[in-house]
Amino acid sequence: MIITRSTARNFRNLRPDLYVEWDPGINLVLGANGSGKTNLLETLSILTGWGAFSRTQNVISWDGKFPRAFVGAEVSGEEKFTVTANISSRVALRVDDKAITSTELRLLLPSVVFLTGNINLIDGSPSARRLFVDRLCSLFFPVYARRLAEFKYVMRSRIALLRQGRNYEITTIPYCKLGGWIMDRRREVVNMLMGMITPGKFSLSCVPELKVPGEEYLHEMLRANRSRELHALRPQDGANYDELAITITENGRSASEALSRGQKRRLVLYMIIMAGKLTALKLKREPILLFDDLTAELDGEGREWTYTQLKKTKWQVFMTSPEKPFATRKKFGGITLGVP
């Protein structure tokens, strides 16, 4: 899929009526800090169904003159359409003037988003790696995002009942049913992703390893750890404890321990490209890649490697950077923003 042009009105600190024509290949969004580079990338995140980077109402222009914002884009590729989003306290999405949900839009215009903090995919907490897997699950299983939200609600209810000394067992069945389904889907997606990875480089696996269906596993673990749960006043097992293990095949060590920071960033990019290839295979649509300051902390060689990998995909790419990240001989689409 390709976004040919986009527009934004009354959006954060972007100029009031921003209109940009995009290249089908690599597009650079250049500008100094505070110029709105990430904000422009955020408009594309909204238009591909992933929403704002923070609370929705925060995207409305900072000068406060108007109560809502608007973003829109014309799309071509496997299908042609126009997508728009009217933003107030919520986001109202439309495709060719017909209302659409964010889940439907993600399937129609798939994208993979890399924000500056995504380096934590390797170094950060398990929640960062769960988010990576959850986003893929949301693309491949349309009901996944809703069931994940339902599981989190049940978990909060269980914790509240535990703290109040009330009958928390009424949440056990939905907790195990929803949590087990989520754990099963995560392992299914990680196995699919492993099928895209060049053998011998590194491996991905979900921890804990399940030898029975997720629902059955959670029932067993809740029974076994009942006293610990009562003492801690929160569940000790569940989908919220899942971990994605990233292991270097050559030495069996964790990627967070075995790799330098530059190597980690390369590995994250490789994983994102593999996720994109899996998305294209499953959805029959070429994904769009959105990167916020991807080349930060990479030397010249690392930047050239990044350019080569992105070019090979032949997908549309959007990248923010304070300066041109690649050799000046290369031509790109995009825009240079000035500080307001």
Side-chain angles (χ1 to χ4, degrees), residues 24-305:
I26 296 177
N27 294 273
L28 300 179
V29 181
L30 305 176
N33 291 339
S35 61
K37 302 186 301 296
T38 301
N39 297 337
L40 180 52
L41 199 71
E42 187 175 24
T43 68
L44 303 179
S45 175
I46 291 171
L47 291 169
T48 55
W50 289 116
F53 296 156
S54 61
R55 294 179 61 189
T56 298
Q57 54 266 43
N58 290 347
V59 308
I60 298 172
S61 182
W62 298 339
D63 64 18
K65 292 180 179 178
F66 303 99
R68 63 181 64 242
F70 171 87
V71 293
E74 293 181 19
V75 180
S76 64
E78 290 86 345
E79 188 175 348
K80 289 186 177 182
F81 56 86
T82 299
V83 56
T84 61
N86 279 288
I87 307 163
S88 53
S89 59
R90 58 183 295 272
V91 179
L93 297 167
R94 302 186 75 85
V95 167
D96 288 340
D97 209 31
K98 183 177 180 180
I100 190 172
T101 67
S102 56
T103 298
E104 293 168 332
L105 181 55
R106 288 194 292 265
L107 299 177
L108 194 63
L109 184 55
S111 70
V112 180
V113 182
F114 178 100
L115 300 180
T116 304
N118 289 147
I119 188 65
N120 290 332
L121 185 60
I122 293 176
D123 270 340
S125 67
S127 62
R129 290 179 285 279
R130 281 197 298 271
L131 178 60
F132 173 74
V133 178
D134 286 341
R135 287 206 163 199
L136 284 176
C137 289
S138 296
L139 282 175
F140 304 151
F141 308 106
V143 299
Y144 185 87
R146 186 177 76 244
R147 291 192 178 178
L148 181 59
E150 291 171 349
F151 170 77
K152 290 179 179 179
Y153 174 79
V154 171
M155 181 178 67
R156 289 193 299 269
S157 299
R158 187 176 180 89
I159 292 172
L161 292 170
L162 279 163
R163 290 177 177 176
Q164 295 164 11
R166 298 167 60 188
N167 180 20
Y168 66 94
E169 293 289 359
I170 61 174
T171 65
T172 297
I173 291 178
Y175 185 88
C176 294
K177 190 175 186 65
L178 289 167
W181 185 87
I182 290 165
M183 294 174 79
D184 289 339
R185 299 294 79 74
R186 285 172 176 167
R187 283 148 182 78
E188 187 175 342
V189 164
V190 169
N191 286 337
M192 287 191 288
L193 192 57
M194 273 300 297
M196 308 297 296
I197 294 173
T198 303
K201 297 288 185 180
F202 66 97
S203 64
L204 303 174
S205 61
C206 282
V207 180
E209 179 183 358
L210 300 187
K211 298 181 180 180
V212 296
E215 182 177 356
E216 182 180 341
Y217 167 83
L218 287 183
H219 274 293
E220 292 176 356
M221 296 308 294
L222 287 182
R223 283 194 296 268
N225 293 322
R226 186 171 184 273
S227 60
R228 290 177 56 209
E229 182 177 16
L230 287 169
H231 177 74
L233 298 180
R234 63 181 303 113
Q236 299 300 293
D237 303 279
N240 53 309
Y241 289 98
D242 261 350
E243 167 67 297
L244 175 65
I246 307 173
T247 307
I248 304 303
T249 305
E250 183 179 5
N251 53 30
R253 295 176 62 194
S254 166
S256 63
E257 299 174 352
L259 302 181
S260 68
R261 191 166 180 82
Q263 289 173 322
K264 290 172 185 175
R265 184 151 290 212
R266 290 193 189 196
L267 178 54
V268 169
L269 176 61
Y270 179 80
M271 289 176 61
I272 288 173
I273 290 175
M274 292 304 104
K277 289 183 177 181
L278 181 58
T279 299
L281 179 66
K282 297 291 288 184
L283 301 184
K284 310 301 181 186
R285 291 171 183 260
E286 300 297 317
I288 292 169
L289 303 185
L290 307 178
F291 294 112
D292 189 22
D293 211 7
L294 172 66
T295 57
E297 302 183 36
L298 288 179
D299 58 16
E301 180 184 352
R303 292 185 177 198
E304 288 302 303
W305 179 86

Side-chain angles (χ1 to χ4, degrees), residues 2-4 21-27 316-318 331-334:
I2 297 170
I3 295 176
T4 56
E21 293 195 4
W22 301 106
D23 190 87
I26 296 177
N27 294 273
Q316 188 176 36
V317 178
F318 298 90
K331 295 182 179 180
F332 304 96

